[in-house]
Each structure stands twice: as C-alpha cells, then as structure tokens.
Amino acid sequence: MRIAVCDDDRAIREDLSRLIRNQAPKANVVEYQSGEELINTKGSFDIYFLDIEMGKVSGMDLARLIREQEESGRKRSIIIFVTGYREYMEEAF
C-alpha cells in the first residue's frame, strides 16, 4: 500500500507519518512538504493525507486534481483531509 502525507508543517507531517507506520508497518509512506511537490511526483497512491491549507496549492486543489486524473483512468484513491481549522470541515466533506 502506498500512502502520501502532504503537509507544510514538518512536525505534523512527521507525526502523522509515524502514526501511519505504527498502524501499517508494511505501508510505503512518502512525505511531501507542499502541494507543488506532490503534483510533480510520478505515480499514484492508495491513500492521500492532505493538509487543506498550504501555500499556492491547497489540499482541496490537490483533491480536485487527483479526482480529475482518476476520471482519466487512474485507480481510485482514498483522500483524507488534515486540518486544524474548523471552518474547512464542511468543504472537506
């Protein structure tokens, strides 16, 4: 299983990756510090953990791009939003 963790906050990104590795030791967890970095990656992931509020490319932007690529034949992924902002909760759902 391939899992992407994309968050511009290093501490949160590392904590989340550690929690995932503890629960799924055989998973291939790859960390990204920005939406731009994730966009420039080849391949896809089974699960994406996306911070909603990041620099130029938000987690919502990334989710839209991932879903558009899936409409073109890419395998469907699970997207999980990570945020500390309550106001983004409704948009994430």
Side-chain angles (χ1 to χ4, degrees):
M1 176 181 341
R2 290 181 39 112
I3 301 173
V5 176
C6 187
D7 196 308
D8 57 348
D9 185 311
R10 180 180 177 191
I12 292 173
R13 188 175 62 243
E14 289 176 352
D15 284 346
L16 186 53
S17 294
R18 181 182 46 77
L19 289 170
I20 294 166
R21 287 184 179 105
N22 286 342
Q23 293 298 313
K26 293 182 180 181
N28 177 15
V29 180
V30 183
E31 296 180 15
Y32 297 95
Q33 64 184 356
S34 70
E36 296 88 348
E37 185 179 13
L38 179 55
I39 287 172
N40 292 323
T41 300
K42 299 290 183 192
S44 63
F45 292 88
D46 300 297
I47 302 173
Y48 292 87
F49 285 85
L50 305 176
D51 182 15
I52 289 182
E53 188 170 90
M54 294 184 286
K56 293 179 182 178
V57 179
S58 72
M60 297 305 289
D61 296 332
L62 286 170
R64 285 184 200 95
L65 179 63
I66 291 165
R67 292 298 184 231
E68 286 172 9
Q69 291 173 346
E70 291 170 350
E71 289 175 6
S72 300
R74 189 167 107 179
K75 179 184 164 193
R76 186 97 168 147
S77 303
I78 296 170
I79 297 175
I80 300 169
F81 292 106
V82 179
T83 186
Y85 298 98
R86 187 177 195 102
E87 61 269 19
Y88 292 123
M89 191 169 52
E90 186 175 314
E91 185 178 0
F93 283 101

